[in-house]
Amino acid sequence: MKVIRTKNYQEMSKMAAEFILNKINSSSKLTLGLATGGTPVQTYHYLAQDYREHQTSYQHVTTFNLDEYIGLAKSDPNSYHYYMDKHFFSKVNIPTNQTFIPNGLAENLEMECYEYDELIKKHHGIDLQILGLGKNGHVGFNEPGTAFDQHTHIVELTNSTIQANARFFNDINQVPKRAITMGIGSIMESKEILLLVSGTEKNEALNKLLHGEIDEQFPASILNQHENVTIIADEDAIINTNL
Ligand code: F6R
């Protein structure tokens, strides 16, 4: 894994946006895997800024988001559909029918998972997957203990993830208890992975990722077995990691 060190969150985000833009500009067709959460917000902001200033086109880009809560409507401000629209899709010229996010309101959720994987396959897999890192090592909503070979599936969120995500809701009881997520298997099939890590609260997780064992109890550890991973991390996340 290649680690790029940045001074702070802003610089991490700028570098991540440049990394993504580089792929967009050098490909005639690109399938991007996208993450939500706090970490990539500023990256999306820089991509939107680039669009305003340089009109980088997204007509040839297709996106697949990692996950979505079960039970939230697309119009719910806490849904990942809403987040993506607000921070990114509405700011660039990506055709709506080229943006995919699991449907957490699907009548048949198992079928939704199966079809999501089929759709990714139909697009010949993900060229570049953007990831954030959970404090307990989760990626997507793949919580500790998730089998490394799983594809898109339904998860029960752990208390630590519910608590971490409660900051986006008015009340912790409003945080959905289940989600649909691309599995570790789906993520590992991406041709390239860009992991963004920022802040002291991710310090321990980054240390474990870089120096710990590969273990299903720490899902991100499997990234050590992927041949094309770049980590962009800021100083706060890197402190005490021996880098
Ligand atoms: C988001 C996602 C999650 C987050 C992770 C870190 O789509 O899949 O795995 O990347 O929970 O979240 P933040 O960036 O809020 O610390």
Side-chain angles (χ1 to χ4, degrees), residues 34-40 66-67 80 131-134 138-141 165 167-168 201-202:
L34 299 177
T36 57
T39 311
L66 279 169
D67 41 20
Y80 289 167
L131 293 178
L133 179 64
H138 71 238
V139 285
F141 271 127
N165 291 1
R167 68 191 195 275
F168 300 114
E201 80 261 26
K202 299 294 173 64

Coordinates of all heavy atoms in Angstrom, one line a residue, residues 34-40 66-67 80 131-134 138-141 165 167-168 201-202, ligand 1:
L34 N -18.0 5.0 -4.8 CA -18.0 6.2 -3.9 C -18.4 5.9 -2.5 O -19.2 5.0 -2.2 CB -19.0 7.3 -4.5 CG -18.6 7.8 -5.9 CD1 -19.7 8.7 -6.4 CD2 -17.3 8.4 -6.0
A35 N -17.9 6.7 -1.6 CA -18.2 6.6 -0.2 C -18.9 7.9 0.3 O -18.8 8.9 -0.3 CB -16.9 6.4 0.6
T36 N -19.6 7.7 1.4 CA -20.2 8.9 2.0 C -19.5 9.1 3.4 O -18.3 8.8 3.5 CB -21.7 8.7 2.2 OG1 -21.9 7.5 3.0 CG2 -22.4 8.6 0.9
G37 N -20.2 9.7 4.4 CA -19.5 10.0 5.7 C -18.8 11.3 5.7 O -18.9 12.0 4.7
G38 N -18.2 11.6 6.8 CA -17.6 12.9 6.9 C -16.3 13.1 6.1 O -16.0 14.2 5.5
T39 N -15.5 12.0 6.0 CA -14.2 12.1 5.4 C -14.2 12.7 3.9 O -13.5 13.6 3.6 CB -13.5 10.8 5.4 OG1 -13.6 10.3 6.8 CG2 -12.0 10.9 5.0
P40 N -15.0 12.2 3.0 CA -14.9 12.7 1.6 C -15.7 14.0 1.3 O -15.6 14.4 0.2 CB -15.5 11.5 0.8 CG -16.4 10.7 1.7 CD -16.0 11.0 3.1
L66 N -21.1 2.8 -2.1 CA -20.8 1.6 -1.2 C -22.0 1.1 -0.5 O -22.2 -0.1 -0.3 CB -19.8 2.0 -0.1 CG -18.3 2.0 -0.4 CD1 -17.6 2.7 0.7 CD2 -17.8 0.6 -0.7
D67 N -22.9 2.1 0.0 CA -23.9 1.6 0.9 C -25.1 2.6 1.0 O -25.0 3.7 0.6 CB -23.3 1.4 2.3 CG -22.2 2.5 2.7 OD1 -22.3 3.5 2.1 OD2 -21.4 2.2 3.6
Y80 N -28.1 8.3 2.1 CA -26.9 8.5 1.3 C -27.2 9.0 -0.1 O -26.4 9.6 -0.7 CB -26.0 7.3 1.3 CG -25.4 7.0 2.7 CD1 -24.8 5.8 3.0 CD2 -25.4 8.0 3.7 CE1 -24.2 5.5 4.2 CE2 -24.8 7.8 4.9 CZ -24.2 6.5 5.2 OH -23.6 6.3 6.4
L131 N -12.7 5.0 -0.5 CA -13.1 4.4 0.8 C -12.8 5.4 2.0 O -11.7 6.1 1.9 CB -12.3 3.1 1.2 CG -12.6 1.9 0.3 CD1 -11.7 0.7 0.8 CD2 -14.1 1.5 0.4
G132 N -13.6 5.4 3.0 CA -13.2 6.0 4.3 C -13.0 4.8 5.2 O -13.2 3.6 4.9
L133 N -12.5 5.1 6.4 CA -12.1 4.1 7.4 C -12.9 4.2 8.7 O -12.9 5.3 9.3 CB -10.6 4.2 7.7 CG -10.0 3.2 8.7 CD1 -10.1 1.7 8.2 CD2 -8.5 3.5 8.9
G134 N -13.6 3.2 9.1 CA -14.3 3.2 10.4 C -13.3 3.0 11.5 O -12.3 2.4 11.3
H138 N -14.2 -0.8 10.0 CA -15.1 -1.1 9.0 C -14.9 -0.3 7.7 O -14.3 0.8 7.8 CB -16.6 -0.9 9.5 CG -17.0 0.5 9.7 ND1 -17.5 0.9 10.9 CD2 -17.1 1.5 8.8 CE1 -17.8 2.2 10.8 NE2 -17.6 2.6 9.5
V139 N -15.2 -1.0 6.6 CA -15.2 -0.2 5.3 C -16.5 -0.5 4.7 O -17.0 -1.6 4.7 CB -14.0 -0.7 4.4 CG1 -12.7 -0.1 4.8 CG2 -13.9 -2.2 4.2
G140 N -17.1 0.5 4.0 CA -18.5 0.4 3.7 C -19.2 0.2 5.0 O -18.8 0.7 6.1
F141 N -20.2 -0.7 5.1 CA -20.8 -1.0 6.4 C -20.4 -2.5 6.8 O -21.1 -3.2 7.4 CB -22.3 -0.9 6.4 CG -22.8 0.5 6.7 CD1 -23.7 1.1 5.9 CD2 -22.4 1.1 7.9 CE1 -24.2 2.4 6.2 CE2 -22.9 2.4 8.2 CZ -23.8 3.0 7.4
N165 N -22.5 7.4 13.8 CA -23.3 8.1 12.8 C -24.4 8.9 13.4 O -25.1 9.7 12.7 CB -23.9 7.0 11.9 CG -22.8 6.4 11.0 OD1 -21.6 6.8 11.1 ND2 -23.1 5.5 10.1
R167 N -24.2 11.4 15.0 CA -23.9 12.9 14.9 C -24.6 13.5 13.7 O -24.8 14.7 13.7 CB -22.4 13.1 14.8 CG -21.7 12.6 13.5 CD -20.2 12.7 13.7 NE -19.5 12.6 12.5 CZ -19.1 11.4 11.9 NH1 -19.5 10.3 12.5 NH2 -18.4 11.4 10.8
F168 N -25.0 12.7 12.7 CA -25.8 13.3 11.6 C -27.3 13.3 11.8 O -28.0 13.9 11.0 CB -25.5 12.4 10.3 CG -24.0 12.4 10.0 CD1 -23.3 11.2 10.1 CD2 -23.3 13.5 9.6 CE1 -21.9 11.2 9.7 CE2 -22.0 13.5 9.2 CZ -21.3 12.3 9.3
E201 N -9.0 10.6 15.7 CA -9.8 9.5 16.1 C -9.7 8.3 15.2 O -10.1 7.2 15.4 CB -11.3 9.9 16.2 CG -12.1 10.0 14.9 CD -12.2 11.4 14.4 OE1 -11.3 12.3 14.7 OE2 -13.2 11.7 13.7
K202 N -8.9 8.5 14.0 CA -8.7 7.4 13.1 C -7.3 6.8 13.3 O -6.9 5.9 12.6 CB -8.9 7.8 11.7 CG -10.3 8.3 11.3 CD -11.3 7.2 11.4 CE -12.7 7.7 11.2 NZ -13.0 8.2 9.9
Ligands
F6R1 C1 -19.6 5.5 4.0 C2 -19.0 4.3 4.5 C3 -18.3 4.2 5.8 C4 -17.4 5.4 6.2 C5 -16.8 5.2 7.5 C6 -16.0 6.4 8.0 O1 -20.2 5.3 2.7 O2 -19.1 3.4 3.8 O3 -17.5 3.1 5.8 O4 -16.4 5.6 5.2 O5 -17.8 5.0 8.5 O6 -16.9 7.5 8.2 P1 -16.4 9.0 8.4 O7 -15.8 9.5 7.1 O8 -17.7 9.7 8.7 O9 -15.5 9.0 9.5

